[in-house]
Amino acid sequence: MRSSTKKKVDPLSYHLTPKHELLTAEQAFEVLKSLGVTPDQLPWMRASDPVAKAIGARPGDLVKVTRKNPLGGEVVIYRYIISG
Amino acid sequence: MEDKVIKGVGFGILSPDEIRKISVTAIITSEVYDEDGTPIEGGVMDPRLGVIEPGQKCPTCGNQLGQCPGHFGHIELVRPVVHIGFVKHVNDFLSATCRKCGRIKLPEEEIDRYLKIYRAIQSRWQSASKRLVDYVKKTASKATTCPHCGTEQLKIKLEKPITFYEEGKEGLTKLTPSDIRERLERIQDKDVELMGLNPKTSRPELMVLTVLPVPPVTMRPSIMIESGIRAEDDLTHKLVDIIRINERLKESIDAGAPQLIIEDLWDLLQYHISTYFDNEIPGLPPAKHRSGRPLRTLAQRLKGKEGRFRGNLSGKRVDFSARTVISPDPSISIDEVGVPTDVAKILTVPEKVTDWNIEEMRQLVMNGPEKWPGANYIIRPDGRRVDLRYVKDRKALAEGLTPNYIVERHIMNNDVVLFNRQPSLHRISIMAHRARVLPGRTFRLNLLVCPPYNADFDGDEMNLHTPQSEEAVAEAKELMTVHKNILTPRYGGPIMGGTQDYISGAYLMTVKTTLLTKEELSKLLGPVKYSGDVPEPAILSPRPYWTGKQVVSMFLPDNFNFRGPANVSSGTRICKDEDCPHDSFILIKKGKLLTGVFDKKGLGNQQPESVLHWLIKEYPEDYGLWIMDNLFKLFIRFAEIRGLTMTYNDVKIPAEAVSKIAEQSKETRKEIENLIAKFERGELEPIPGRTLEESLENYILDALDKLRNSAGETGSSYLDPFNNAYIMARTGARGSLLNLTQMSAMLGQQSIRGERIKRGYKGRVIPHFKQGDISPEARGFIYSSFSRGLNPIEMFFHAAAGREGLVDTAVRTSQSGYMQRRLINALSDVRLEYDGTVRNISGDLIQTFYGYDGVHPMKSVHGKAIDINRAIERVVGWKR
Ligand SMILES: [Mg+2]
Ligand SMILES: [Zn+2]
Ligand SMILES: [Zn+2]
Ligand SMILES: [Zn+2]
């Protein structure tokens, strides 16, 4: 079947994947405080997302994503992990 | 009475008792009127349900038409019926709960645990609580035995749209609405809560109707059509149907009719009540009027473009507005709009009478509604409105005017008005203009503001609105004035700018050969607001002459520098820098145009990083307004004086060229014949990845394309590049080289969906060819030019290809309109907060920093915060 022959790919090493970091509870709390948001007001990411799986993010976690901006410089965004 | 403050709005489902409580009467008969046309008590038009005729007095509340809000009645249903809007919820409840004891099919501890979590997060994290409910529903539906009573569970099947079955070992058993209601009644309050509903307001059994509210007649009035026949509202028709079936069902049950007949009637009742709520249910045939027209029932009143929400609530109609055809007026300012006197006499502005304007206001009141400028109403200090149409002695009224009166005076010159053209796709589709009252019946606008509105004058109409308060006027002036919106917020380039004759005029004016005598110069500067000096003439002897470049330079600021190519810099007349004989490289040093011409690239609309762009961006708004009003007027004047027209001779090519093109055509035709012959012999070399037929088609297309190009080149080489038609094409004013070659040399291949035309009869497009003829002329190639004329067959192909363009635009506009609507609805509540973040109304974070660079596109250069090259050019540009 397909699943047995499927090649394992590490999404983190792919050149288009931006940097994802799992935040500790303290870091997450700090971020929420500085942005003045509740977790569900952040953009979401599913726990089943390949990157979320790769960095071991579980529902309720916050992930810091650092990506390159076409206008130059780096942009930091945060994602709230939801189940599914 | 003490003032009450609305704290919130709650939603719930009406219970049968509540329905009976708000009802003024039970509706018991399907009869509506008796013989003499009076409504029957207990029928759907029962007088107690409200007043719909003038002069009547409501038996329930005593009010007359307009005051009586209308009153509900109710129908007692003989058998319950599932509410069509709740079918999904009913399905969820039936699937997730036990068929015997009605508990959620999860162990008690789990229910308690989830409920605890649910209550904790419900108010704070709605989205998370919704996911929890979904999870509970999903897992509970999977259970095969009840953890509470141990009963074996059967699968619930919903057969769309409304029939529920239970799937046992012996097959399907139908669940009647009565069965369903019984099961739903058994569900405990705390289980209802965990299913995501508030048991206090929305018990699940209320989703199965036993009593149906009858809406007041005020929301379904009957109308009198000519000859005094009464036409009832669709809802009334539907209610009559429901009552009739309800009656028949009752009779059948009372008479002990067979179960089958009762079930049929019951289903029919379900159908009528379902379509009463929504007549567009997938899987249910819509209920129809006798004429075959589908009935417009409750959901249809709310849904869609003409529905209550989009049609009446978001789409309100307004006063103080006008609409008429637009026409051009190059002599008014770009921030003016010409308003017909007839319109000005209807649109009004409320103006407070003060010690300073009282004499003016008296004069306006004396002029009255018929004479512009006048006034239509006055509002006295006690708030009473006086309609000046019915005042006999306006003079006395004017004398009686004192401060604190308000005069609703006619629109006058320089009043701020909003001007709009649909579709309002971006914010500059509505701009603030100064009114200019003019004779005539059309709105007049300056041609330079056509691009933001996307307006032309082939019958376009536009709307005009008059702000009614000082605040509104101030806001319009500060934010929406035309000259504050020359740069588009889309990308920061100038959206307004030269079009068509402005471009040709600018070119003709700035071209090297233009020399102006003192008289000509005076004639040009006459209508223009220019008060600076006139420079020394460039030529002194035999008589003084000014160059066009000198005249244009008079309008440029002294510290303005610019380098860049013009539109005419192309082909053989390309200029890489200012040391170039073709004079197509613009060089401006210290506000003097030294080389190059002004054309589309320099002054055109939507041309970023052009002369016009920097003039608008780097100098004050008033300067931008002034240059748009005056310099551009000069170009039009010049074009008028010189004359600019197009003649047949502009596209006529000599006989020599015609025969050259004919020769080329003959060669290509032969070439294609050879290709076809080769193909038939099977010797054709296929293109990799293509079939032989596709390859042949490709070869033919290539050959024909080459023919059209070479014919075009031959043709245009005989045209005078300085004739008017060619000038318009080269400067970008109107038309292209392709248009010129199509007029002078050859039209070329007509195509549909990018292919040679092939649809029509079997094996041929039109019966003038043999079947299977794939020669150029049989598949839409046109050897003729527009000036030579098309033969009927060519004409047909040209029309067929032209049709495709029309169809495409029609389809594209409807599709992009829908896309725009969805985008706007999704983005309408997104805003920039003071902390630089972008959030929506519920506080969801969209961007952590506006655009991730914090740059407002309108203030940017092509999206960038700064253009380094331009910054350098500004400072040292003239030094190189
Ligand atoms: Mg039009
Ligand atoms: Zn992909
Ligand atoms: Zn009433
Ligand atoms: Zn049970």
Side-chain angles (χ1 to χ4, degrees), chain B residues 98 101 146 148-149 151:
Chain B
C98 170
C101 70
C146 172
H148 303 275
C149 66
T151 318

Side-chain angles (χ1 to χ4, degrees), chain B residues 179-208:
Chain B
D179 302 334
I180 296 169
R181 196 175 151 90
E182 256 166 54
R183 286 195 188 186
L184 296 175
E185 276 168 359
R186 280 200 289 268
I187 302 172
Q188 294 185 7
D189 273 1
K190 76 173 191 186
D191 288 2
V192 172
E193 192 181 353
L194 189 54
M195 294 285 287
L197 290 187
N198 179 355
K200 286 198 200 78
T201 57
S202 316
R203 282 286 313 173
E205 68 269 19
L206 304 183
M207 297 172 181
V208 181

Side-chain angles (χ1 to χ4, degrees), chain A residues 35-44 67 69 71 75-78 80 82-83, chain B residues 124-128 131 835 837 839 842-846 848 851-853 863-864:
Chain A
L35 291 173
V37 289
T38 58
D40 67 329
Q41 289 177 321
L42 290 171
W44 296 349
R67 57 185 181 201
N69 187 286
L71 300 159
V75 168
V76 176
I77 57 158
Y78 298 93
Y80 174 52
I82 60 161
S83 62
Chain B
R124 247 165 94 66
W125 290 298
Q126 283 246 347
S127 48
R131 286 201 305 281
D835 64 354
T837 60
R839 301 178 193 225
S842 43
D844 296 346
L845 195 68
I846 313 290
T848 41
Y852 295 125
D853 59 3
K864 287 172 301 198

Side-chain angles (χ1 to χ4, degrees), chain B residues 334 448 486 496-497 612 616 624-630 632:
Chain B
I334 57 165
L448 292 168
I486 297 174
M496 291 172 223
L612 182 68
I616 301 293
L625 177 65
W626 175 76
I627 203 155
M628 300 278 274
D629 275 346
N630 295 288
F632 282 84

Side-chain angles (χ1 to χ4, degrees), chain B residues 24 35 89 114 136 161 218 231 277 285 293 306 371 388 463 490 495 497 580 599 607 624 630 679 691 718 738 807-808:
Chain B
V24 289
E35 309 84 50
H89 297 264
Y114 289 139
V136 168
T218 42
F277 285 117
R293 170 183 64 85
E306 245 110 81
K371 187 176 166 202
L388 295 184
N463 304 322
R490 250 159 49 204
I495 187 147
C580 171
D599 56 18
Q607 300 292 318
N630 295 288
F679 168 78
T691 64
Y718 284 90
L738 178 74
V807 170
D808 275 7

Side-chain angles (χ1 to χ4, degrees), chain B residues 421 454-460:
Chain B
R421 179 182 177 273
N454 192 20
D456 48 36
F457 305 103
D458 58 4
D460 291 27

Side-chain angles (χ1 to χ4, degrees), chain B residues 360-375:
Chain B
E360 264 172 77
M361 290 300 126
R362 285 196 172 127
Q363 185 56 51
L364 294 178
V365 171
M366 249 132 78
N367 284 350
E370 280 100 41
K371 187 176 166 202
W372 182 85

